[in-house]
Structures are given as C-alpha cells and as structure tokens.
Amino acid sequence: MLQPLLEIKNICVEFKTRGGALKAVDDLSIDVQQGEILGLVGESGAGKSMMGAAILGLIDPPGRLSSGEIWFKGQRIDQNPEPFRGCEISMIFQDPLVSLNPLKKIGDQLVETILRHKRMSRAQAIDRACRGLIEVGIDPERLNAYPHTFSGGMRQRVVIALALASEPSLIIADEPTTALDVSVQAQILKLLKKLCDSRGTSIILITHDMGVISETTDRVGVLYAGRLAEIGITDHVLRSAKHPYTQGLVASTPKIDPDSFGRSLYQIPGSMPKLDAIPTGCAFHPRCTMRTNKCSQERPPMMKDTAACWLLEEME
Amino acid sequence: MVLILLRRLGQAILVLFIVALISFLIFRYVGSPVDNLLSQEATVQQRADLEEALGLNDPVYEQYFRFVWNAVNFDFGNSYRGSLPVAELISSRLPATLELAFTSALFALLLGVITGIYTAIRRGGLLANLILTLSLIGVSLPTFLIGVLLIWVFAVELQWLPSFGRGEVVKLGWWSTGFLTLSGVKSLILPSITLGLYQLTLIMRLTRSEMLEVLRQDYVRFARALGLSQRSVYFKHALPNTMIPVTTIAGLQLGSIVAFAIITETVFQWPGVGLLFINAVYFVDIPVMSAYLLLVGVLFVFINLAVDLLYLAIDPRLRDSQLSGDS
C-alpha cells in the first residue's frame, strides 16, 4: 500500500480546566491518501474543527496536542508544524465574511501569501495572483478591490485562491460552505473539487452536512465526542453504516422524495455529552438503541478498520 | 473625497456655531458686562449710554451674530483685568499649552500603543503583567498628585529637572517655542508625563484589549493558517485593525489633554491658556472665559474632523459607504 499523504496517529487534544483536563479529541487515528477527499462529519462539538486545527498546530490555548503523532509525507510535523503551514497544508475557514482582512486589498493578501512561500519577483507574484483569481472565476481586474465589495460566495472564492496560492498538497476545509446560500454552496464545492482534482491536492472536508459528504467525498470519517466512530468509503458508509450513531445520522438526514413527505424526520434520542461528562465505555452508549452491558464498561476499539462498536465483534 | 471633506467641514461649522452660542450666552448673561466696566458710582444715564454703545439693547440674535463675526475676526473684546485684548492674551499663551499637549500626546500615544501591543502579544508574560499592574497607578492616581510626586522626586530630591515654568523660549514670529533650548526641553518633561500618564494607560489598555479581540478574529487565524510570519500577522494584519477604535479614543483624548492641561499647568505654573483660564475664573473675567471655551470647542471640532479623515484613510469600508452617500 502507498504511503499516506497524512497520517494521524492516536492524537489527543486536551483543554486544561480547573476541573481537570478535558479531551476534545480522544485517541484519534486517521490517514489521508494522496489526491483523495476525506470527509469528517459529526455534530457540533464532536472535535472535527479541533482535529483540523491540530494538524496545523493552530489550537488556541489553553488547548494543546497532548499526545499522538502527525506525519506528513514521511515527516513528523506535530512538533514543528510552522514550515508546513500555508505551504504544504492550507486551511479554509467557515465564514468567508470574516476570513479576509477587511483593510487589505485582496491582491495584496494574495501577493503576500505567494511571496511568503515562493521565490519570485513581485511582478511575477502579481501575475500569479491574477491567474489564481481567474481559476476561481473572479475577474483579475478586481485585484485592487477590498473584501467588503465581494459577496459571501465570491469571498469564499478569494479564500480558495489564497489557500491554493502556494500549491499545497493538502487543504483542510473547515465547513467551507456552512455560511453560504445553498445554491452557492454547490458551486463552491464543485470549484474546490475541480481545482484539487486537477492538481492532485487532497482535501479534508469538515462538515456536519451529510448531503455535502455524499456529493463530495471519497471516504468519510464519523466523529463522536472526540473519537472516531466509523470510517470507510463514503458510498459504503452511507448505504450500510455499521455504527448505530452513523445509522442515526444517515436516518436523520432529510431526503427529497415523495415517500417521505409528511413523515417526521428521525432524531437520535438525547444529545452529545459535554466534554466533562463523557460516559464510560463507548461514548455513544447512553443514546444507543442496541447497547449491551459491555458497551458501558469497555471502550470499543476500531473493528475491521470500519467502526468502533462492539456489535461488529458479535457478528464475527 | 473632496465631497466628504466638504460635508464634514459643514458639520464642523454647525457644531462651532452651537459652541459659539453657549460661549456667547456665558459672555452676555453671566454677570452684566456693564457692571464690570463701570464703577459703582455710575449714573443710570451712563449705564444706559454704555448699554446702547455695547449694543446690549439690540435683538439677541443680532448680538449673537455680532459675537460670532467678531470671534471669526479674532476679536473677543478686552479682558476686564488689565484691559488687554483677549485675543492677544490667548495667542501669547497658546504656544505653551499646545507644545505641552503635543508632547504629552506623543508620549501617551507612542508608549501606549507599543506597550498595548506588547502586553497583548505576550499575554500572561511576566513583564506584560508587570506593565499592566503599573498601569493601574496611572489610572487611579489623580493628575495633580502625580505632578507633585514627580516634582518631589525629580526636582526636589534628585534636582534633575526644573519644578515649574517653561524655561527659556525662542520666538519664531508670534510663536514662542521651548523645543529649541535645553532648559525648555527639560521643563517640558515633568508636565508632559503628568499630563499624559492617564491617557497613556488608557490607550495602552484599549490597544491591548482591541488587539486581543482582533487576534481572535478569523482573518488572523486564516493569515496564520496561510503560513504568514508572526511579524506579518501581528503588525500587518492585526495592528491596522486594532488602530481603528484606538484612533477614535486617542483623538478624543487629545482634545481632553488640552482641556485638562488646566490642572497640570496649575501644578507646574506652566504659562499656558489653562493657567490663564484659572486666573480668569478667580477674577470673573468673562471675556477670557468665553474665549477659552470657544477655543477648546474649536480644538475639539478640528481634532474630530482630523480623526474622521484618518478613519477614511485607514478603513476602505467607510470610504466606500461615504462615497456612495450613506453615512
């Protein structure tokens, strides 16, 4: 098997509080292959964004990466992620309205980023910035425009141009379309996918939208309470989820077909535990309809590389 | 751009008319000018003649416009004491106050912004905490006490700096400056620190909290994620955004530095307009008081005008919304 582009091995992200350390990400391992789009899905507070920030070493204090290793192209980066930041790995944030510095022209922001990572003259950088804008469908004439003169969707295009400016091998997109209109969402995702496909760039797409996952990603990881609940090829996971939590997520996604009109949407009972009250054993067991005694006592390991659930053990 | 300037200027002039009205009302109705000009033995006829001569029997609005017209021509009447023209008194004192205000504003702004940024970036650090603790002194001690303490330490005990006055001054036309002589500069130090210390701590704390706020913004996180250097993130991206609110407050504070100079000038016997005003209050010298009020009003209005224009230079969003006509 090929060496993965990014290997995350057993990482934990901890927040020190007066009540002790809270684990926002708990013993999480995941790989990203060259050129693939990996989706990360889960409810708010499941640790999705924290994981993205952990890769670039951008966790805000008092949080910190307390254990585990992150390897990128065969180099360990969790100790010193700075040389990779923006250069090999870029990040796109949720709200394009606040992702751009309001006081700087978009051209200046692009040129600064390009010059930071590439050895070239200013004129070359401006030329490159123009090409970057054309690629994301923005008139290069607008190089001298300020961010506030763009709409949300256009700003996210600028953000994508910025993230791609240094030709990274991996982009972490943290809910890149959540703040946008539905019609714009699809455009932005299509654009991101097209640009990354043509460059062989991998994407980690963080979202809570199962629709986005099914349309965009090759593989999907399901996070629950900072732990990986299930991972696999997107189609397989959506069609035949192994973990009861994933099944619940899929069942609670609205579908537009005549059969479901008038029927109320499925809800997973209860809500995700707070970080200071994570249940023993499997974190999902209090909400699980198929729980056994073992679920509340022992934390399930990843079974057959697909799901962390004791049910899979019994099926063997 | 010219249009914005004209509109702002129009607003400024309107404000000045209102300030002039208040100033006029004080001039006209606080005490009677006739009482102050005539001796107690004056006859009723003499009083009536003087009232007529001063135009006090004209309609109030006519008197007001005459007051404004005279003010525009720098004619504020004569001081009751010594009968010197008020304009002459003020213009001979103004350079002292403006130089003091300028020096302490510079001191407060530079040091305030620098320490503000430092304490924000090194949040929780030893030196940062020390600076923050010390800044409490600046906030909590009253100006006159700081002045007296500084005099005691640096003028009385150490004898490094003079305790009062302006030192030697050099005449440049009608302007007298203390910047060009050693004793003038030395004399500036203690009063400037006294006057600027409160503003310094205010600007520092404001810069710090704004900077911390800006550092939490997504565009700063994005700039970091793009791999920009710490220096660029702090100074090219975070700092300009921090300076927008700081500019407003600093501008307003600059006005109050001039206004509060009264206390500092009293402590250091600084021969400026503040001291002139205090003496005018003692002797109910109404023309001087109303002219001083007008002067401070004009200063505030022009500082605000300058701050507004500075805004437009810093913030492109504001520039566009102003150009498109909604403000």
Side-chain angles (χ1 to χ4, degrees):
Chain A
M1 196 172 147
L2 259 140
Q3 185 194 29
L5 181 71
L6 181 81
E7 289 178 272
I8 297 174
K9 294 178 182 171
N10 311 94
I11 60 163
C12 291
V13 175
E14 281 187 355
F15 281 82
K16 282 233 165 68
T17 65
R18 269 179 222 154
L22 302 180
K23 281 187 174 169
V25 174
D26 188 357
D27 195 19
L28 196 125
S29 301
I30 212 164
D31 290 347
V32 182
Q33 303 296 331
Q34 177 82 45
E36 80 166 341
I37 302 181
L38 172 72
L40 283 183
V41 70
E43 291 167 85
S44 309
K48 298 169 296 188
S49 301
M50 204 51 74
M51 210 200 88
I55 296 168
L56 282 177
L58 285 175
I59 302 169
D60 292 321
R64 65 188 188 94
L65 190 68
S66 57
S67 64
E69 294 173 8
I70 300 172
W71 292 74
F72 180 81
K73 288 188 175 171
Q75 280 173 283
R76 191 164 169 191
I77 65 167
D78 50 298
Q79 310 284 352
N80 181 22
E82 261 160 67
F84 297 88
R85 225 182 262 165
C87 182
E88 285 281 3
I89 308 173
S90 275
M91 192 152 179
I92 297 173
F93 289 96
Q94 182 170 349
D95 191 349
L97 296 183
V98 294
S99 288
L100 297 167
N101 185 341
L103 303 185
K104 291 190 85 178
K105 294 171 183 169
I106 60 159
D108 291 344
Q109 300 191 38
L110 274 163
V111 168
E112 189 189 0
T113 308
I114 293 167
L115 287 179
R116 172 77 179 158
H117 299 295
K118 302 277 174 198
R119 278 172 172 269
M120 58 171 71
S121 71
R122 208 182 149 74
Q124 285 171 308
I126 292 172
D127 184 54
R128 201 186 174 106
C130 284
R131 276 186 284 131
L133 285 183
I134 293 170
E135 272 187 326
V136 295
I138 289 177
D139 185 354
E141 298 268 304
R142 304 204 61 190
L143 214 55
N144 283 325
Y146 287 96
H148 70 274
T149 59
F150 293 84
S151 67
M154 294 300 254
R155 277 192 233 185
Q156 199 62 309
R157 286 168 189 264
V158 175
V159 168
I160 290 172
L162 271 163
L164 287 171
S166 58
E167 298 180 322
S169 318
L170 173 66
I171 289 185
I172 302 164
D174 188 353
E175 312 226 14
T177 57
T178 308
L180 302 174
D181 287 345
V182 181
S183 54
V184 182
Q185 280 186 13
Q187 286 175 16
I188 295 291
L189 284 174
K190 224 166 121 183
L191 177 72
L192 189 62
K193 195 168 171 169
K194 187 186 92 188
L195 293 176
C196 289
D197 274 351
S198 66
R199 290 167 163 78
T201 307
S202 307
I203 305 176
I204 297 180
L205 183 67
I206 297 169
T207 179
H208 57 252
D209 186 335
M210 288 306 260
V212 168
I213 291 288
S214 81
E215 274 167 40
T216 320
T217 61
D218 302 317
R219 282 195 308 144
V220 60
V222 181
L223 296 190
Y224 186 80
R227 303 171 186 182
L228 192 60
E230 178 159 6
I231 186 160
I233 309 285
T234 305
D235 276 357
H236 296 179
V237 171
L238 293 183
R239 256 168 235 218
S240 56
K242 300 283 187 295
H243 197 289
Y245 176 61
T246 318
Q247 291 164 3
L249 269 188
V250 174
S252 59
T253 304
K255 292 166 197 70
I256 301 182
D257 68 73
D259 296 344
S260 61
F261 281 172
R263 234 183 277 162
S264 64
L265 218 48
Y266 174 76
Q267 286 183 331
I268 305 174
S271 59
M272 201 160 71
K274 290 207 173 103
L275 288 183
D276 57 358
I278 290 182
T280 54
C282 172
F284 185 62
H285 84 260
R287 301 171 73 185
C288 184
T289 49
M290 290 177 269
R291 63 173 172 261
T292 61
N293 279 341
K294 196 174 187 182
C295 295
S296 60
Q297 283 152 11
E298 267 181 82
R299 180 172 166 181
M302 210 57 176
M303 304 276 181
K304 293 183 275 181
D305 288 334
T306 57
C309 180
W310 290 118
L311 289 173
L312 294 185
E313 186 189 47
E314 285 162 22
M315 287 196 301
E316 274 175 6
Chain B
M1 199 68 195
V2 178
L3 207 70
I4 302 170
L5 199 72
L6 283 178
R7 200 160 65 200
R8 284 293 151 101
L9 216 57
Q11 289 169 353
I13 289 170
L14 185 72
V15 172
L16 282 180
F17 267 102
I18 296 168
V19 173
L21 179 65
I22 297 169
S23 185
F24 162 72
L25 291 176
I26 291 176
F27 179 70
R28 176 66 185 77
Y29 294 107
V30 177
S32 158
V34 178
D35 286 345
N36 287 306
L37 287 172
L38 289 179
S39 64
Q40 287 180 346
E41 291 87 34
T43 63
V44 176
Q45 184 58 43
Q46 277 175 311
R47 292 181 64 94
D49 287 346
L50 188 64
E51 273 176 23
E52 189 58 39
L54 289 175
L56 297 181
N57 298 325
D58 295 342
V60 174
Y61 66 86
E62 243 180 67
Q63 294 185 41
Y64 169 60
F65 282 112
R66 192 159 54 229
F67 176 83
V68 172
W69 180 248
N70 287 338
V72 170
N73 291 309
F74 299 108
D75 178 7
F76 301 95
N78 287 348
S79 162
Y80 293 160
R81 270 190 336 136
S83 305
L84 279 170
V86 173
E88 210 171 282
L89 269 178
I90 286 190
S91 69
S92 71
R93 297 292 200 104
L94 199 56
T97 295
L98 288 184
E99 285 189 354
L100 174 63
F102 173 77
T103 316
S104 49
L106 207 66
F107 159 74
L109 207 58
L110 280 182
L111 216 57
V113 169
I114 291 171
T115 51
I117 294 168
Y118 181 83
T119 49
I121 293 175
R122 294 261 182 281
R123 189 186 184 185
L126 200 67
L127 185 58
N129 282 342
L130 188 73
I131 294 174
L132 276 179
T133 312
L134 284 178
S135 78
L136 280 176
I137 298 173
V139 182
S140 49
L141 281 187
T143 309
F144 62 88
L145 193 62
I146 293 171
V148 171
L149 277 175
L150 287 175
I151 289 175
W152 177 55
V153 175
F154 293 101
V156 178
E157 293 296 328
L158 297 171
Q159 302 208 334
W160 287 350
L161 298 165
S163 62
F164 71 92
R166 250 190 117 186
E168 283 173 65
V169 292
V170 176
K171 278 269 179 198
L172 298 173
W174 65 274
W175 187 277
S176 67
T177 179
F179 285 141
L180 299 177
T181 63
L182 184 65
S183 71
V185 172
K186 275 170 102 176
S187 308
L188 258 172
I189 296 174
L190 290 185
S192 301
I193 293 175
T194 308
L195 186 55
L197 202 60
Y198 177 77
Q199 326 293 340
L200 163 73
T201 51
L202 196 79
I203 289 171
M204 182 196 112
R205 289 180 161 258
L206 184 74
T207 306
R208 176 177 183 268
S209 65
E210 288 297 333
M211 185 90 174
L212 286 175
E213 183 61 37
V214 168
L215 289 178
R216 272 196 290 274
Q217 298 296 312
D218 269 5
Y219 54 82
V220 170
R221 298 183 60 209
F222 187 49
R224 282 213 176 106
L226 286 175
L228 303 184
S229 65
Q230 287 281 36
R231 229 177 75 178
S232 172
V233 169
Y234 284 141
F235 295 104
K236 280 199 195 156
H237 290 264
L239 186 60
N241 283 289
T242 306
M243 288 318 285
I244 292 178
V246 173
T247 308
T248 331
I249 302 295
L252 290 176
Q253 291 303 314
L254 191 65
S256 61
I257 278 185
V258 175
F260 285 134
I262 294 174
I263 299 171
T264 307
E265 288 186 8
T266 311
V267 171
F268 287 92
Q269 288 299 300
W270 190 260
V273 282
L275 203 58
L276 182 73
F277 175 74
I278 283 287
N279 289 330
V281 171
Y282 284 142
F283 295 99
V284 203
D285 199 344
I286 304 292
V288 174
M289 284 161 68
S290 72
Y292 177 80
L293 183 67
L294 202 56
L295 176 78
V296 170
V298 169
L299 267 175
F300 260 90
V301 166
F302 274 97
I303 288 166
N304 271 331
L305 191 67
V307 167
D308 279 348
L309 294 179
L310 209 56
Y311 260 7
L312 296 177
I314 301 178
D315 195 336
R317 288 165 296 186
L318 217 56
R319 212 149 52 215
D320 287 3
S321 74
Q322 294 281 314
L323 281 176
S324 64
D326 51 275
S327 58

